[in-house]
Each structure stands twice: as structure tokens, then as C-alpha cells.
Amino acid sequence: MSATGDFTVRVRKKEVVRALLPLQEHWLPLSNLDLLLPPVDVSVFFCYSNSDAMSFAAMVAVLKKSLAETIVSYYAFAGELLLNSAGEPELLCNNRGVDFIEAYADVELRNLDLYNPDASIQGKLVPEKKRGVLSVQTTELKCGGVVIGCTFDHRIADAYSTNMFFVSWAEMARSTPMSVIPCFRRSLLNPRHPSHLDPFIDQLFQTISLSKISHQHTENLLSRIYYIKAEHLYNFQSLASSNGIPRSKLESFSAFLWKLMAQFAEQNNKMISKMGIIVDGRTRFSNERNETAKIMASYFGNVLSIPYGEHKVNELVERPLFWVANEVHRFIENALNRDHFLGLIDWVEAHRPQPTVAKIYKEGSNDGPAFVVSSGQRFPVCEIDFGWGRPIFGSYHFPWGGQTGYVMPMPSATINGDWVVYMHLLKEQLEFIENVASHIFRPLTADYLCFN
């Protein structure tokens, strides 16, 4: 049978999983870096092949028990987000709990159209978050396989924080002590007194009326999942570093993708192309004794910035890959330091309680394409073993709305150096990429997952 998104999902049971131990109710303020995020939800899912060692009912029991144990430490995921008197979101840690759904889908794992997650995943195998901060859905497939899908409020956690949570949840399910205890010390991200406003921040972020933040999925933006072979990634890196300056795989891949998007823009008579890269600031907070850096390694929340660059499309098309990679590095390096994140915290403080948004999020325009690349290289897909084996596939699913594209490369569960790349772009952009680079961006198929 061919891959398909044409199947039905039947919900068997809905319940709320609360922390195993009683928690003292308290308010947890969002940090200034949390307040940079608009109210958008992010989904992630993991696919497991049939396990003869454990029934689905036994799996669900393990998941619920270990989830109740895990949210004792990750109590933010068991709370609810409310507006305070200033109109800003604030987390009430009241052990409201996590919505947990058990479901059945009349499709086999090998027939899931993972290449087209809008049809096979969205609204079917990842839950809609209706209340609280986190929702979980566990779905039994016709073949005995299982899909675990989660949706969380991005204002509470970034991908780094969520990755910590998934690893801890899997550890608890295997009766293994948690390797990381999350830190919620918001004082680590307090604004400075006196503050120092960096004009560079005004180039990256802006205040915006809450009523103007659009999160409706535009009809012409689609999600696709591809895989890229390791040899192509090494080739990108070699070409991007050919001027003698070594570049990371992420910089090299991003440069290659920027050139592709510029080619698309040139064919459509566009003049400018813009690309942002999400930077995690945890390793930027350090002091001489490195105490803060150790604490930040377990910090739960958002510690992100989105620097971006723009260039004329003809330059991006005509210049060699190493030149484009240098330009990528040039705009990223402005955010790779402690002062940038301290300045970002001060900038939010100066504009509170006005909502803010990254400018690149609003930059899809008639001038040319704009998109953001998020580094998912820490995605711990091979560590999410709840006791019945590691997943054969896992991915984020983030159709974030607006006109700005979103791309997230992640390590493949095949453990061979390949990448899985989630892309949320205009339909025409995806068609162009598949036409000119089909040998590199290969649709995610059951053959790749099951027989590689």
C-alpha cells in the first residue's frame, strides 16, 4: 500500500494526568525572554514500531505513571497560563495537570504519509492543546505500532527545555533517575540596573498590538518532511569552508538553502531574500568560574534570539557557497555572546507590557522570501525510549502561521549522520526545491525508516 493521510482516528479515552506528589500552588512569572514569544503552540511526535513485549494498554499505563512522576519536577507543564493585572501572561503552577488522550488509528505505521504531516499528523496524531500548557496523545496503530504526540505552549518552553522533559520522561518510564533536574530560577534572566539598550535589538524585534499577531495557517504554506544523506551535509560543509574558515554543518546547510530560496526568488522577479537562524543563549551566560553556565544548562524556559540577514537575490545566487556561509556567520555572531542576551532582556523590560515579536516573523512580503532555520541538532530522538525500544522516527511539527517560512533540521533516528528536515514553506517554494534539489531533499518514506 502507498503512504496515505486518509485514515480515521478514534479517541478511546480522555483524562488529566496530575503530578504524583502534591505541589504547592504558586505563580511563576515568565522571563523577559519568554515574553518575546507570541502565543503559538508547538507539536512533536515519536513513532514506535510494533512491540511484542508489551501491550498497548501496558504502554499507556507506563506513560501515565511516569508522566505523573516527571511533572513533579517539570511542574510548569502541569500549570495553566493566565493574564495578570498588566495584561501579561503568567504561569499559575496549580497542578491543573496534562490532558492525556488515548486513541486508535486504522492505519499501519508503514503507510503513514510522514512526508506530508499536514495530512497525516496535524489534527490526527498530535493533539490540539485546548487547556493547560501541555497535551499528550498516545495512538495505537492497526499494525501494533504506536505514535506519541505532544503539543505545548511555546511561551513556556523552547525546544531545548522540551527535549530535557522528553528525556526525563523516558528515564522515569525506565525507572532510571533523571539525568537533569530542571531549573526555574527566573532571576538568572533579570534585567540590569541600570539597563543598557542596544540599538541592534531594534533591528531584530518590534512591539506589536496583540490584535495584529496572526496565527492563522495560511492556505498556501505547507509542511513537508525530508531526509538528507550525511554525504550531502559533509559536502555542504566542505564547500562552505573552502576559503579556509571552517563552518558548522548548520551554517553550511543554511547557506545552501538560502541560495536555493534566492534562486526561487530570482525566477519570480523578487529582489531581496531574508533568512533568520534561531540561537540558543544558554551557553552565552557564563562568568569567570562558569557557575552560571552550569545552571543555565538545565534552565527551563525560553532563551532564544532570532538574528537574521538580508541580501539581494542576485548576490546570493551568483556568489559561491563559502561567501554565503560567511554572511550567515556574520549575522549570527552578533547574537553569540552574553551581552546580546542581556541587551535583549533589557529591551523587553523597556517595552513591557507591550507584546513583542521577532521582525523576521513578520517579514514575508512582496520583496522576496523570508524564512527561519531552527537548530534541532539536540533533538534527542534516539533517547526517547519508554521501555519498549527507541522510536524509528521523531520530528517537530510547527506550522506557525504567517508568511515567514520555518525550517528545522534534526538528527535522523537511523543514527548514520543523516538529517531529517521539517520544512514549512510556500507551496511554490517546496515545489521549486523538489525540482532543482530532489537528489538532496528526499521525501521521508517508510522505506527509509524501515529498511535503511
Side-chain angles (χ1 to χ4, degrees):
M1 294 177 64
S2 60
T4 179
D6 184 19
F7 61 92
T8 58
V9 177
R10 177 168 56 89
V11 173
R12 290 171 168 168
K13 187 177 182 180
K14 293 182 180 180
E15 60 185 302
V16 177
V17 175
R18 294 183 172 86
L20 186 64
L21 300 177
L23 300 174
Q24 183 176 359
E25 181 173 306
H26 67 281
W27 289 93
L28 181 67
L30 272 61
S31 78
N32 281 8
L33 297 183
D34 293 325
L35 294 174
L36 282 171
L37 275 295
V40 293
D41 293 335
V42 184
S43 297
V44 62
F45 64 97
F46 302 95
C47 302
Y48 298 85
S49 57
N50 181 29
S51 173
D52 296 328
M54 191 177 296
S55 67
F56 179 70
M59 291 179 180
V60 169
V62 168
L63 289 171
K64 290 192 294 186
K65 179 178 181 293
S66 55
L67 177 60
E69 294 169 339
T70 307
I71 56 178
V72 172
S73 297
Y74 289 85
Y75 53 83
F77 272 151
E80 54 185 326
L81 211 55
L82 303 172
L83 295 182
N84 60 24
S85 59
E88 294 179 329
E90 192 168 351
L91 188 65
L92 176 59
C93 300
N94 58 356
N95 199 19
R96 181 250 163 224
V98 175
D99 287 341
F100 193 99
I101 301 168
E102 298 174 41
Y104 175 82
D106 61 345
V107 65
E108 295 190 4
L109 182 56
R110 66 166 46 252
N111 292 329
L112 273 182
D113 187 7
L114 296 173
Y115 160 68
N116 181 10
D118 292 337
S120 62
I121 302 299
Q122 181 73 26
K124 292 185 175 182
L125 300 178
V126 294
E128 179 184 357
K129 183 183 68 60
K130 296 181 178 179
R131 298 177 300 276
V133 175
L134 170 69
S135 295
V136 175
Q137 178 176 320
T138 305
T139 307
E140 181 183 15
L141 306 182
K142 187 164 63 174
C143 60
V146 172
V147 177
I148 299 174
C150 304
T151 302
F152 63 94
D153 193 314
H154 201 343
R155 293 172 293 178
I156 298 303
D158 55 16
Y160 184 103
S161 303
T162 312
N163 292 345
M164 287 197 307
F165 165 75
F166 286 126
V167 171
S168 294
W169 186 10
E171 289 170 339
M172 295 299 286
R174 301 194 309 271
S175 299
T176 302
M178 289 197 304
S179 54
V180 177
I181 303 299
C183 168
F184 295 93
R185 194 185 302 178
R186 295 295 190 249
S187 60
L188 293 168
L189 303 180
N190 279 347
R192 295 171 291 187
H193 297 287
S195 63
H196 175 70
L197 298 183
D198 182 355
F200 176 62
I201 305 298
D202 288 317
Q203 300 176 31
L204 304 182
F205 295 88
Q206 67 184 51
T207 58
I208 187 170
S209 167
L210 192 60
S211 62
K212 293 182 179 179
I213 300 179
S214 172
H215 308 295
Q216 298 298 317
H217 302 162
T218 54
E219 294 182 358
N220 54 347
L221 261 71
L222 303 176
S223 297
R224 294 287 184 262
I225 300 179
Y226 305 92
Y227 70 94
I228 300 180
K229 301 294 290 182
E231 56 261 32
H232 292 303
L233 299 172
Y234 286 119
N235 185 48
F236 296 157
Q237 192 172 25
S238 176
L239 293 173
S241 306
S242 60
N243 63 336
I245 302 176
R247 295 301 178 206
S248 69
K249 283 190 177 70
L250 181 66
E251 289 173 324
S252 305
F253 164 79
S254 300
F256 175 78
L257 184 58
W258 204 3
K259 283 179 69 69
L260 275 182
M261 295 290 275
Q263 291 176 39
F264 167 82
E266 189 175 54
Q267 287 192 5
N268 289 272
N269 300 315
K270 305 297 183 182
M271 303 299 295
I272 300 293
S273 180
K274 302 175 183 180
M275 180 178 69
I277 294 186
I278 296 178
V279 173
D280 188 316
R282 284 171 176 80
T283 59
R284 315 304 163 188
F285 287 87
S286 62
N287 54 30
E288 293 179 358
R289 292 178 294 180
N290 214 31
E291 293 175 355
T292 304
K294 292 179 181 178
I295 299 172
M296 286 301 297
S298 62
Y299 180 82
F300 186 98
N302 287 282
V303 194
L304 304 176
S305 184
I306 313 182
Y308 72 95
E310 63 177 89
H311 270 288
K312 295 179 179 178
V313 296
N314 64 321
E315 279 190 314
L316 294 169
V317 171
E318 295 168 4
R319 298 277 193 165
L321 188 64
F322 72 78
W323 183 90
V324 180
N326 288 347
E327 293 303 296
V328 172
H329 182 80
R330 183 181 60 80
F331 74 73
I332 292 177
E333 67 178 346
N334 292 322
L336 300 181
N337 59 77
R338 181 170 179 264
D339 285 343
H340 171 76
F341 283 90
L342 292 176
L344 194 50
I345 293 167
D346 290 351
W347 184 90
V348 175
E349 186 69 16
H351 293 86
R352 291 177 65 177
Q354 289 179 281
T356 58
V357 68
K359 284 187 176 180
I360 187 70
Y361 179 81
K362 308 296 292 182
E363 288 291 351
S365 68
N366 293 327
D367 293 336
F371 65 102
V372 170
V373 178
S374 178
S375 175
Q377 294 311 294
R378 294 192 183 96
F379 185 51
V381 59
C382 295
E383 299 177 51
I384 314 304
D385 178 359
F386 292 98
W388 49 83
R390 62 182 180 86
I392 66 167
F393 181 71
S395 174
Y396 275 84
H397 180 60
F398 190 27
W400 66 349
Q403 290 292 328
T404 301
Y406 179 83
V407 177
M408 189 170 193
M410 295 160 280
S412 170
T414 54
I415 325 178
N416 59 2
D418 293 357
W419 278 6
V420 165
V421 183
Y422 170 83
M423 305 183 79
H424 185 66
L425 299 171
L426 294 171
K427 177 183 178 181
E428 296 79 11
Q429 292 168 341
L430 291 166
E431 290 174 346
F432 176 83
I433 288 172
E434 292 184 7
N435 285 334
V436 303
S438 60
H439 61 298
I440 294 173
F441 291 88
R442 305 183 185 185
L444 204 290
T445 63
D447 286 346
Y448 174 74
L449 296 179
C450 300
F451 305 113
N452 198 335

